[in-house]
Amino acid sequence: MEKPPFPGSSTLASVALTCQSFKEPALNTLWRVIPGLDPVVRCLPHDAVRTIEEKNDTPVGWRNFKGLRFDRNLQPKDYTRIRENAARVRVVCRPRFGDARSYALDKLFLHILYSRQEVVGPILPRVQHAMLYVNDFEGHAVYPRLIIGPRLTSIDLVAFEKSKIKVVNGVEIIPDGPWRTIKRVLEEATSPIQRFKIDEYRTEDHWKLNTFAPHDLISLLRGFDSLRVLEALSLNIDHSTLLHFSVLPHLQELSVSLFTETITYVVGHHKHCDHFFPSLKKMRLNTPSLEPCAELFKLPHAFEHLTAFEIRGEAGTKWDLYSFFQGIRRNASLSTNLTYLKLWIAFYPWDLPLNTQAIDFATIAPLLSF
């Protein structure tokens, strides 16, 4: 048996072999979280596959990987061990980047693995959470189709490699992605998506509030009517999308980026909404200005259950802390329920903000009534 991909896996495997009473609990724990499809392909008969060495291009340069090739045609009976363990899997994450024990599974290998099943479809029917890259959905999206099944309710997507972001007139634009394909694949899962996270891969720990979300991505996000958690701090959403999220009955956590103009528009059109984020408990914003946020707090029936609020700004922006704290004070629900508040500005150590407002007694006076 090859070395297991996760720390502690070998211990669990040993426990499973100790006695019959330990076997099922140990195997359930061993298979509950897997690093991609590596453990799955290791269940194929040894005479069906062979390991090869290959060199792949990655975001940090060329690296050597172990690949797999089929030595013979797959038969339905070759999936016996996979079926025995696949029902135990609940979470599929991605292998650690550059892990020499992980296989690089190319599109042809995945297509054969997918198409030679007795019943073509997800190979992991009980997965509830999956971590995927946006480029996994390019082409026929075979890798996601092997993973995403009828019980999926949570998904993490990594997207927007730095080298692929376009700059138009000094503004970064997210390139078109396979968003429609992602939407189709997720719609095949019968369970509604309750948690959705989209993050960006960057070789530098630095980004600004100037990345626009494409229309198809916004359409994808607006299709999740049962969302409880949305983490998309890297994306700017427009006013209509923010208003759409503001009336979702089950949304409890929200992380997005907003331009000042977006917040200002929403404040002016909130009269069309009965409640503003009726179930929201935690909110994270990336925005260049505090003043519109203070106006959000003053809206009627706004943030009635909010307990945690975090705002990230950019270096070089002046925040009116006094007005912001006054806005919190005027919201009766926030004055009672808010237990966590964090305001911070992102900057490099060599690029300190020069005009950040000083915090004195007059600034924090509105907070003294909490």
Side-chain angles (χ1 to χ4, degrees), residues 5-185:
F6 270 7
S9 298
S10 57
T11 302
L12 285 170
S14 299
V15 170
L17 296 173
T18 302
C19 71
Q20 194 65 30
S21 298
F22 291 157
K23 180 179 178 180
E24 288 301 311
L27 287 177
N28 288 337
T29 303
L30 179 66
W31 281 90
R32 185 179 182 277
V33 180
I34 63 173
L37 292 177
D38 267 24
V40 175
V41 299
R42 293 172 193 267
C43 290
L44 291 169
H46 293 295
D47 66 330
V49 294
R50 59 186 170 89
T51 304
I52 63 169
E53 296 288 335
E54 57 183 21
K55 200 172 187 180
N56 287 352
D57 189 16
T58 74
V60 294
W62 289 88
R63 288 179 175 267
N64 291 322
F65 286 93
K66 290 189 301 182
L68 290 176
R69 292 292 182 271
F70 287 107
D71 275 344
R72 62 172 175 80
N73 291 330
L74 282 184
Q75 304 296 327
K77 64 180 181 180
D78 294 325
Y79 292 81
T80 301
R81 286 189 61 211
I82 292 178
R83 288 193 296 269
E84 290 174 356
N85 296 303
R88 308 177 194 272
V89 180
R90 298 294 182 270
V91 178
V92 179
C93 56
R94 295 304 297 255
R96 293 182 179 180
F97 185 75
D99 190 340
R101 294 170 294 181
S102 301
Y103 291 125
L105 305 177
D106 61 29
K107 292 182 179 179
L108 177 59
F109 183 92
L110 292 172
H111 179 76
I112 295 174
L113 181 66
Y114 181 75
S115 61
R116 299 297 171 85
Q117 302 177 80
E118 187 172 6
V119 178
V120 176
I123 206 167
L124 303 173
R126 297 188 179 182
V127 167
Q128 298 170 354
H129 173 74
M131 299 173 62
L132 300 164
Y133 290 107
V134 167
N135 58 8
D136 289 332
F137 291 85
E138 294 175 352
H140 296 290
V142 178
Y143 183 85
R145 291 180 190 278
L146 281 164
I147 294 172
I148 295 175
R151 300 195 181 187
L152 186 81
T153 58
S154 172
I155 184 169
D156 286 8
L157 283 182
V158 179
F160 325 146
E161 290 183 9
K162 181 68 175 177
S163 60
K164 295 182 179 180
I165 290 180
K166 303 175 184 177
V167 179
V168 180
N169 297 326
V171 177
E172 292 183 348
I173 306 293
I174 297 174
D176 292 334
W179 312 115
R180 294 182 183 180
T181 302
I182 295 174
K183 188 175 182 179
R184 284 198 304 270
V185 174

Side-chain angles (χ1 to χ4, degrees), residues 270-307:
H270 176 258
K271 59 185 178 181
H272 300 296
C273 304
D274 293 332
H275 293 274
F276 196 69
F277 292 105
S279 302
L280 196 68
K281 295 181 178 180
K282 297 180 181 179
M283 189 174 194
R284 295 177 66 206
L285 291 183
N286 184 53
T287 183
S289 177
L290 279 183
E291 186 175 355
C293 295
E295 296 302 315
L296 280 178
F297 293 146
K298 299 175 185 178
L299 293 173
H301 308 295
F303 306 111
E304 293 180 332
H305 299 283
L306 194 69
T307 60

Side-chain angles (χ1 to χ4, degrees), residues 224-284:
F224 300 141
D225 292 331
S226 299
L227 271 180
R228 295 180 181 274
V229 179
L230 174 61
E231 297 184 50
L233 197 62
S234 302
L235 298 181
N236 266 304
I237 62 173
D238 58 19
H239 60 268
S240 63
T241 304
L242 182 60
L243 286 171
H244 171 81
F245 290 148
S246 73
V247 296
L248 292 181
H250 306 297
L251 187 63
Q252 297 181 5
E253 297 183 28
L254 177 67
S255 301
V256 292
S257 292
L258 297 173
F259 280 125
T260 301
E261 295 80 2
T262 301
I263 302 176
T264 302
Y265 182 95
V266 169
V267 169
H269 290 74
H270 176 258
K271 59 185 178 181
H272 300 296
C273 304
D274 293 332
H275 293 274
F276 196 69
F277 292 105
S279 302
L280 196 68
K281 295 181 178 180
K282 297 180 181 179
M283 189 174 194
R284 295 177 66 206

